Amino acid sequence: MVIKYERDNIDTDVILPGTYLKIHDYDELATHAMEGIDPEFHSKVKEGDFIVAGKNFGCGSSREHAPIALSHSGVKAVLALSFARIFYRNSVDGAFLLPIEIDEDTYKNIENGDELEIIIEKNEITNLTKNQTYRIKPFSEIISKIILAGGLFKFKP
Amino acid sequence: MNITEKILARASDCERLAPDDVKFVNVDKVMIHDVSGPGVIKVFDKLKKQGINVDKLWDPSKVWVAEDHFVPSAELISAENIVKLSNFTKNYGIDKHFKYGMGQYGICHTISHEEAMVLPGEVYVGGDSHTNTTGALGSFACGLGHTDIAYVLLNGKIWFKVPETILFKLNGKLPEHVMAKDFILKIIGDIGTDGGAYKTMQFEGTGIDEMSVEERLTLTNMTTEAGAKTGIIEPDQKIVDYLAARGAKDFSLVKGDHDAEFAKIFEYEASELEPIVAKPYSPENICVVREAPSVSLDKAYIGSCTGAKLEDLKAVAKILKGKKVKIRTEVLPAAISIYKKALEQGFIKIFLDAGATVGPPTCGACCGAHMGVLAQGEICISTTNRNFPGRMGHVESQTYLASPLVTAASAITGKITDPRDLN
């Protein structure tokens, strides 16, 4: 199911506030995910959910806590107009979640609560609620290979 | 090739590289601190469970360690993280560990230049987003997460996509009341917080030639707020002298070719720049100080890798000398070496006489960690680098980002103040 935030520049300070940077227990971090923007997030997020957001998702600090907190909350992918670079590579190299770039139309069409199915091999998203199909921006070659390997440590250059 | 391409080509054994080439690049230096260090330890634990050998680092002599985010420890988790970090460096034979309470220590990005931990032409990665700072020395300096840093510690290399470079030219010397902080805030205002995303932001021009090394570090530091992969400045004699004074020699200066290519070039006239603040809740939300909202400030914060270097403190001292602060004012020098010099040069006494409190080097409240975080509704003017919701404390607190001169002037009046308008 989709949890949508219609805003740009959702930064790592709101995804996982700085005061929790000292915590390295992944499940405990999950309880603070998105606290800076949505204190209800932890109580509503379910395994297999997707976050949909605007441009420059994950900007700010390099804290890997941010994708970790989302991933351990059950989030499988973030669909955004664009991503900040460190959040993007942390998500992929650590195999925490899929950072998927979508276009403006897709962003507008997907609504809070929609059920989605993402087929990476086809670069396709199916919106089961609305019976629509969207294209996703293909991953670059290196990113595809690292995703398929299951993270940077399993990837053989 | 430009300087970024030349450094990355050398480090990946390629004759030529161009933007978008993807390479595994040999790393020259790595940094971890009391947040990314325990994060890396956690990754190592995971790898061990997967049967991956983590007994030895690729080269402990190329690794250095800072204690900065959560020192002095305010509670048990932070204290335990420091112990974990000490055990890690001991077990893996890392000598360069700058410990709180044991001589020189400070914010990692400040230690990188104060202790000449990184040299021109090197590929330097750190477990912190503001690693970009050190690019002012002419290195390729880039922030990474825990998994990537763990990979570098074990393998000595990491993948990079060669970034395009945007060039920012500064023509002429900055006016006396304008600092590098104002210039970089102006740039971020112009290009936005994703205006440099995935790219190198390079600075040059007569204004940069005239600029001190510490001021240049402020520019590269905040390229992170524009989303850049790195910020870089071609090294000159000032860099050589700066590093030589800190015991570094035997390095060569890498510079771009005459036919170097840039994705885009921006030009600024120094004489036209003015003191700037970034209003809540984004570093791109700028206005000139004289047009800033007339809010009643609760606090002035002078700290962080961005705004607590010696010259930042000197600028604050110039304003606070003989005056009294009207709001809570905290000064946290960015490293012990800077603290000492500030003491020797009389700045610390000026701060204390003005009514400010001087604290130990720490990232502290800059990242909302501890040591003066903001309560709900509190408004702060700060020499730091970010003002996203909740950055320095409560999500409904507010931070205005400004230069040390503007922050000090505002501490005296309790309003956002242009230093030229002080009586």
Side-chain angles (χ1 to χ4, degrees):
Chain A
M1 204 172 78
V2 167
I3 300 174
K4 185 172 178 180
Y5 299 101
E6 278 186 71
R7 54 193 267 184
D8 298 331
N9 304 314
I10 293 178
D11 64 278
T12 52
D13 280 314
V14 301
I15 299 171
L16 197 281
T19 187
Y20 306 121
L21 289 179
K22 54 189 173 246
I23 298 169
H24 293 278
D25 180 292
Y26 291 179
D27 291 326
E28 193 182 341
L29 285 174
T31 66
H32 300 294
M34 303 303 279
E35 207 173 273
I37 188 181
D38 180 6
E40 307 297 312
F41 179 82
H42 178 63
S43 58
K44 70 185 177 196
V45 67
K46 288 189 292 295
E47 184 66 26
D49 278 356
F50 303 113
I51 286 176
V52 174
K55 67 170 186 155
N56 205 23
F57 188 91
C59 61
S61 141
S62 61
R63 61 194 67 164
E64 200 154 308
H65 305 60
I68 289 170
L70 295 179
S71 159
H72 282 255
S73 298
V75 173
K76 291 293 171 228
V78 176
L79 285 60
L81 292 173
S82 64
F83 289 89
R85 56 166 290 272
I86 307 184
F87 180 90
Y88 189 88
R89 68 182 294 157
N90 283 348
S91 300
V92 171
D93 286 356
F96 294 112
L97 54 85
L98 292 176
I100 293 177
E101 283 185 38
I102 53 174
D103 61 25
E104 287 279 356
D105 284 341
T106 307
Y107 177 55
K108 280 179 197 143
N109 279 322
I110 300 176
E111 288 181 288
N112 209 25
D114 284 358
E115 293 288 348
L116 304 182
E117 189 175 72
I118 300 175
I119 306 169
I120 290 301
E121 294 77 7
K122 292 194 195 164
N123 291 317
E124 215 173 78
I125 303 170
T126 305
N127 189 329
L128 303 170
T129 309
K130 293 186 166 163
N131 200 20
Q132 292 172 338
T133 302
Y134 320 112
R135 300 291 298 164
I136 60 182
K137 190 180 164 192
F139 294 108
S140 70
E141 194 185 341
I142 178 101
I143 295 294
S144 290
K145 285 180 178 168
I146 295 172
I147 289 172
L148 285 175
L152 182 60
F153 275 95
K154 293 180 181 163
F155 168 70
K156 301 281 172 247
Chain B
M1 290 188 287
N2 60 42
I3 178 173
T4 301
E5 291 155 1
K6 281 178 96 165
I7 293 173
L8 292 177
R10 190 268 306 157
S12 56
D13 302 318
C14 293
E15 262 186 38
R16 282 199 76 80
L17 279 180
D20 291 344
D21 286 345
V22 175
K23 290 286 169 195
F24 269 83
V25 172
N26 294 315
V27 170
D28 298 298
K29 299 281 167 58
V30 195
M31 180 279 298
I32 53 171
H33 54 47
D34 59 330
V35 171
S36 52
V40 165
I41 294 168
K42 185 91 180 173
V43 175
F44 273 27
D45 290 343
K46 258 194 331 189
L47 293 171
K48 253 189 261 179
K49 282 181 198 152
Q50 293 166 14
I52 295 171
N53 187 335
V54 297
D55 292 345
K56 271 187 179 168
L57 303 188
W58 126 87
D59 188 347
S61 72
K62 293 184 174 175
V63 185
W64 60 280
V65 180
E67 294 178 359
D68 54 11
H69 279 64
F70 288 90
V71 290
S73 307
E75 31 57 48
L76 287 178
I77 300 175
S78 302
E80 280 156 12
N81 281 337
I82 295 296
V83 172
K84 267 191 212 169
L85 197 60
S86 290
N87 290 339
F88 182 82
T89 54
K90 194 172 153 220
N91 293 342
Y92 283 99
I94 300 166
D95 297 329
K96 293 188 274 292
H97 184 158
F98 297 91
K99 294 185 174 184
Y100 171 81
M102 291 187 73
Q104 170 70 318
Y105 89 97
I107 302 173
C108 55
H109 310 303
T110 311
I111 294 293
S112 79
H113 54 87
E114 277 291 294
E115 292 298 315
M117 285 291 102
V118 181
L119 299 175
E122 289 187 335
V123 172
Y124 163 53
V125 297
D128 192 283
S129 64
H130 286 105
T131 301
N132 294 23
T133 311
T134 314
L137 305 180
S139 55
F140 176 83
C142 182
L144 296 172
H146 312 157
T147 301
D148 284 348
I149 291 290
Y151 191 90
V152 174
L153 288 175
L154 295 170
N155 300 291
K157 58 185 179 179
I158 192 71
W159 70 271
F160 280 115
K161 184 154 94 171
V162 179
E164 288 184 326
T165 296
I166 313 177
L167 186 64
F168 297 87
K169 281 190 181 173
L170 180 62
N171 300 323
K173 192 178 177 183
L174 288 178
E176 209 184 330
H177 53 278
V178 175
M179 298 186 75
K181 179 69 170 282
D182 300 299
F183 180 38
I184 190 66
L185 286 175
K186 168 73 177 143
I187 289 173
I188 296 165
D190 288 347
I191 68 172
T193 50
D194 62 352
Y198 297 83
K199 296 182 172 66
T200 293
M201 289 170 70
Q202 184 175 333
F203 303 89
E204 68 164 45
T206 51
I208 306 298
D209 298 340
E210 293 270 356
M211 207 178 263
S212 68
V213 172
E214 283 198 358
E215 281 280 89
R216 294 178 193 182
L217 286 154
T218 303
L219 294 181
T220 46
N221 173 277
M222 284 195 69
T223 59
T224 305
E225 277 52 64
K229 188 170 286 179
T230 191
I232 203 163
I233 298 170
E234 290 192 350
D236 60 3
Q237 192 58 38
K238 280 185 183 172
I239 297 294
V240 175
D241 295 345
Y242 180 93
L243 291 170
R246 285 153 179 82
K249 41 184 192 278
D250 299 331
F251 53 85
S252 51
L253 304 183
V254 179
K255 295 188 184 194
D257 297 324
H258 290 298
D259 58 351
E261 289 183 11
F262 300 96
K264 209 167 180 184
I265 298 173
F266 290 83
E267 285 205 48
Y268 291 87
E269 299 302 321
S271 59
E272 292 171 6
L273 294 172
E274 289 208 58
I276 297 272
V277 284
K279 298 173 283 184
Y281 286 102
S282 173
E284 72 182 30
N285 191 18
I286 63 162
C287 69
V288 300
V289 170
R290 283 176 171 168
E291 290 167 15
S294 177
V295 292
S296 290
L297 298 166
D298 296 298
K299 182 166 159 171
Y301 186 89
I302 295 134
S304 86
C305 51
T306 315
K309 303 181 291 303
L310 189 65
E311 284 180 32
D312 300 322
L313 302 187
K314 188 178 177 181
V316 172
K318 192 172 96 179
I319 302 280
L320 291 189
K321 191 169 185 183
K323 302 267 185 18
K324 293 281 178 201
V325 296
K326 203 171 182 180
I327 51 176
R328 293 179 199 273
T329 302
E330 282 179 278
V331 185
L332 299 103
I336 289 292
S337 52
I338 290 171
Y339 200 136
K340 268 191 193 164
K341 285 178 194 160
L343 194 63
E344 286 160 10
Q345 294 181 26
F347 305 156
I348 301 290
K349 183 163 189 312
I350 291 172
F351 303 151
L352 296 172
D353 287 346
T357 297
V358 180
T362 177
C363 299
C366 170
C367 56
H370 64 135
M371 299 276 290
V373 297
L374 305 177
Q376 183 173 20
E378 276 198 303
I379 305 176
C380 176
I381 188 154
S382 178
T383 65
T384 56
N385 45 55
R386 287 188 186 127
N387 59 350
F388 299 124
R391 169 69 179 178
M392 292 186 75
H394 196 279
V395 284
E396 286 165 26
S397 62
Q398 295 182 31
T399 298
Y400 287 81
L401 304 174
S403 76
L405 285 173
V406 171
T407 305
S410 306
I412 292 171
T413 62
K415 301 270 183 194
I416 300 167
T417 302
D418 188 311
R420 288 171 294 179
D421 299 334
L422 275 182
N423 294 327

